């Protein structure tokens, strides 16, 4: 019988390109965001609040949420990590 490898809690199991929107959530809540080009990220959380993170550098941004709002977001090439 083949051995099935189980992903750890810190391993990504999926991802999707983020198109910032003020109304449309990602299909799955994400655990982090890959930021291709740094800037501001207006993040909408599962509790209904949002906050703008200023000057986020390119790379892995280890903050999860439901969507990235278009209004305050200047960062680009964003990928949701599940």
């Amino acid at each position: 019988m083949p051995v099935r490898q189980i992903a750890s809690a810190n391993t990504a199991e999926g991802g999707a390109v983020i198109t910032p929107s003020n109304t449309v959530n990602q299909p799955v809540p994400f655990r982090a965001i890959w930021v291709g080009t740094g800037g501001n990220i207006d993040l909408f959380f599962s509790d209904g609040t949002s906050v703008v993170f200023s000057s986020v550098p390119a790379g892995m941004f280890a903050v999860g949420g439901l969507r990235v709002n278009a209004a305050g977001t200047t960062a680009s090439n964003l990928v949701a990590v599940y």
Side-chain angles (χ1 to χ4, degrees):
M1 174 183 267
V3 175
R4 181 172 175 246
Q5 191 168 1
I6 305 296
S8 75
N10 295 323
T11 302
E13 295 181 6
V17 171
I18 295 175
T19 300
S21 169
N22 294 327
T23 58
V24 179
N25 293 343
Q26 289 294 117
V28 177
F30 50 88
R31 299 187 292 169
I33 301 172
W34 174 259
V35 181
T37 304
N40 298 343
I41 296 178
D42 186 348
L43 193 58
F44 182 77
F45 295 99
S46 59
D47 69 357
T49 61
S50 64
V51 65
V52 176
F53 292 87
S54 298
S55 303
V56 176
M60 192 62 72
F61 183 51
V63 178
L66 293 180
R67 77 171 176 256
V68 173
N69 289 322
T73 298
T74 60
S76 61
N77 302 312
L78 305 175
V79 177
V81 179
Y82 307 113

